[in-house]
Amino acid sequence: MLPLLVALVLTACGETPVAETSTQSGFVQVDGRHFVLDGERYYFVGTNFWYGAYLGSPGPEGDRDRLVRELDNLKANGITNLRVLAASESSELMRAVQPAMVEAPGEYNDNLLKGLDFLLAEMAKRDMKAVLYMNNFWQWSGGMSQYVAWLTGEPVMDPDKTGQWNAFMQNSARFYRMPEAQEWYRDVIRTIVTRTNTINGRRYNEDPTVMSWQLANEPRPGSDADGRPYFEHFKKWIHETAKYIDSLAPKQLVSTGNEGAMGALQDIELYREAHQSPYVDYLTFHMWLKNWGWFDIQNPEATYESAMEKAYDYINAHVEVANEMGKPIVLSEFGAERDEGRFEPGTPTAYRDDIYKAVFDLIYERAAAGDAIAGTNFWTWGGAGRAGQSDFMWAEGDDFTGDPPQEAQGLNSVFDADESTLEVIRAHAKKMQALGSP
């Protein structure tokens, strides 16, 4: 039973009450290859909720009533760890989200910062933990290529217009080698990490709601084809940035947001090397069966079995690296489409449910055996969001569904109506939470 019950709030469906408490757990810490929270091992089921600060905004992009309902619904389903975008950059990139938190170097959108305040304050009421990432290797929130454009004055390189993804990745990776861009980036880090929340008066770096500061979403050394000469710059950037964040927020953890071997030139030894820094408290990895060509939802019977074999191998390999390094590890992105590649809420999710269950079962098995794996953040929470366009692509003013603006809205989203998927998530959450019980 939850202690010190002070309020009951309803979930999005208006049926299941969720308790808010005045007692909040402490800071998540690392003990060897495990997380610890208030003296017990910490295991979690989480999701990606990148748009949380947007919903929390008092401006036109915000919907605080929806945000409260989403948090209640998440908590009711056992989802207590949210990975959230904490910095976006204003950009002319065709698929970048608008508005942005960083309007220009040193200039910030006050509504979106207040939105992040509101999100963290509401999460604290529900004793949820946040992982906040401070940049993006990809284009959908401005990200590293926007810093490059700001510094060089060159037109921003837009892969959604050119289709030149290798060139885009190489351009994003220039960011690591630009000292002035790093100073702008550190100003963003300093501004947010040391910010005082306007809702509850807490400094962010003193708030146990924040589990971890993440350097970026999926930072890579560059493209697989041409990135290897720049790996040392990437490794140095990880170490120096993690050290800087640690100096500002010593009570909180630091992680990279990296995808694993697939985000390290498909070389797991480079992944290991990049994460040796003592200021990187734990490892992350992502897994994308479709994006990496392992699974085809249009031909599921022929590709499912081999895709899951690759998935098991990928998970196990990264857990072994974490075991050997003596650091916890989190699968902080994985997702799957709806059957037949549909986008609409209410359409079947049989293959996605099977994939979620298979991944969750392996994660639980490894965690129960004492291995370094501590949790997951599935991609992504759509909740009550619904696509606003007939082509399912996002336009400014539309609902946020969890899928970023460069992808069809509903592509990987778990909606509040997806009861079969939610049942899988709830069952796994109960098992993972039991691992942390005394």
Side-chain angles (χ1 to χ4, degrees):
M1 182 176 180
L2 289 169
L4 300 177
L5 181 64
V6 296
L8 288 175
V9 290
L10 298 181
T11 63
C13 62
E15 296 175 355
T16 306
V18 176
E20 291 186 16
T21 78
S22 58
T23 299
Q24 183 181 10
S25 57
F27 291 93
V28 178
Q29 300 174 314
V30 168
D31 181 12
R33 62 189 190 187
H34 301 289
F35 292 130
V36 176
L37 180 60
D38 294 341
E40 298 176 7
R41 287 190 183 175
Y42 173 59
Y43 296 95
F44 64 87
V45 175
T47 190
N48 281 269
F49 193 57
W50 68 263
Y51 55 96
Y54 282 76
L55 286 187
S57 168
E61 62 280 344
D63 187 342
R64 289 183 169 181
D65 289 341
R66 178 188 164 192
L67 176 57
V68 168
R69 294 194 303 271
E70 297 290 10
L71 294 178
D72 290 342
N73 202 357
L74 288 160
K75 187 70 183 282
N77 283 289
I79 301 163
T80 58
N81 186 292
L82 306 183
R83 183 170 177 259
V84 177
L85 177 71
S88 55
E89 293 74 34
S90 184
S91 178
E92 294 182 3
L93 286 157
M94 182 172 71
R95 295 297 184 190
V97 65
Q98 297 292 344
M101 297 178 182
V102 184
E103 296 173 340
E107 299 177 15
Y108 298 90
N109 182 308
D110 190 57
N111 279 339
L112 290 175
L113 292 180
K114 288 179 178 175
L116 190 56
D117 293 345
F118 186 83
L119 170 69
L120 291 175
E122 290 297 315
M123 289 179 65
K125 293 178 184 178
R126 293 156 180 81
D127 197 20
M128 304 172 86
K129 300 298 183 186
V131 175
L132 302 178
Y133 53 100
M134 309 298 292
N135 207 325
N136 198 344
F137 188 75
W138 304 111
Q139 82 284 18
W140 58 266
S141 64
M144 296 180 185
S145 277
Q146 183 56 50
Y147 278 95
V148 172
W150 279 335
L151 183 60
T152 64
E154 300 167 0
V156 69
M157 186 174 289
D158 195 336
D160 289 300
K161 292 181 178 178
T162 67
Q164 297 178 7
W165 286 93
N166 280 348
F168 168 78
M169 287 187 274
Q170 289 296 99
N171 187 63
S172 283
R174 292 168 67 191
F175 166 75
Y176 310 127
R177 309 191 297 277
M178 293 180 164
E180 189 172 352
Q182 294 305 309
E183 285 302 311
W184 293 338
Y185 169 55
R186 289 194 176 200
D187 184 73
V188 173
I189 291 171
R190 182 171 55 254
T191 297
I192 295 175
V193 172
T194 65
R195 178 177 172 81
T196 297
N197 191 311
T198 58
I199 305 295
N200 60 21
R202 290 179 175 178
R203 284 174 65 96
Y204 278 28
N205 56 4
E206 294 286 341
D207 186 354
T209 308
V210 179
M211 168 181 160
S212 172
W213 299 99
Q214 208 162 80
L215 274 56
N217 178 55
E218 299 192 335
R220 293 183 170 194
S223 72
D224 290 346
D226 302 306
R228 191 168 289 267
Y230 305 108
F231 174 77
E232 290 299 323
H233 298 278
F234 175 68
K235 184 175 74 171
K236 180 182 179 183
W237 172 80
I238 287 176
H239 173 73
E240 292 183 348
T241 309
K243 183 178 180 180
Y244 179 66
I245 295 174
D246 179 75
S247 73
L248 297 174
K251 295 180 181 179
Q252 295 157 333
L253 305 180
V254 180
S255 53
T256 66
N258 182 256
E259 301 151 273
M262 292 296 284
L265 308 175
Q266 301 193 34
D267 187 334
I268 201 164
E269 292 307 315
L270 291 182
Y271 168 74
R272 183 198 306 267
E273 184 179 343
H275 290 78
Q276 289 286 356
S277 171
Y279 300 102
V280 175
D281 294 300
Y282 67 96
L283 310 183
T284 62
F285 71 118
H286 299 176
M287 186 174 68
W288 285 102
L289 307 187
K290 172 192 174 178
N291 297 3
W292 299 345
W294 296 355
F295 180 62
D296 182 357
I297 195 64
Q298 303 297 342
N299 191 19
E301 293 184 4
T303 57
Y304 179 81
E305 185 175 345
S306 62
M308 294 316 299
E309 288 177 1
K310 292 183 176 72
Y312 294 148
D313 288 345
Y314 196 76
I315 292 169
N316 285 325
H318 287 80
V319 173
E320 289 305 322
V321 167
N323 282 344
E324 293 162 9
M325 293 181 70
K327 296 185 179 186
I329 191 168
V330 175
L331 177 57
S332 55
E333 279 189 24
F334 78 98
E337 295 175 89
R338 313 177 79 85
D339 293 353
E340 300 177 352
R342 301 286 296 274
F343 305 134
E344 307 93 326
T347 52
T349 58
Y351 276 100
R352 183 178 71 186
D353 296 348
D354 285 349
I355 290 168
Y356 270 47
K357 186 176 187 306
V359 169
F360 284 154
D361 284 351
L362 179 56
I363 296 296
Y364 174 77
E365 177 186 325
R366 296 300 305 258
D371 291 310
I373 188 73
T376 55
N377 296 85
F378 66 84
W379 187 284
T380 178
W381 182 254
R386 298 294 185 265
Q389 309 298 319
S390 59
D391 64 357
F392 293 94
M393 298 306 293
W394 185 83
E396 190 170 358
D398 286 350
D399 281 356
F400 297 105
T401 70
D403 295 294
Q406 90 280 13
E407 294 180 334
Q409 303 298 285
L411 178 65
N412 293 299
S413 291
V414 175
F415 293 109
D416 53 8
D418 291 339
E419 182 52 37
S420 61
T421 307
L422 292 173
E423 184 177 354
V424 172
I425 293 167
R426 285 193 299 270
H428 178 60
K430 289 179 181 178
K431 292 169 65 176
M432 292 298 286
Q433 289 163 7
L435 287 178
S437 300

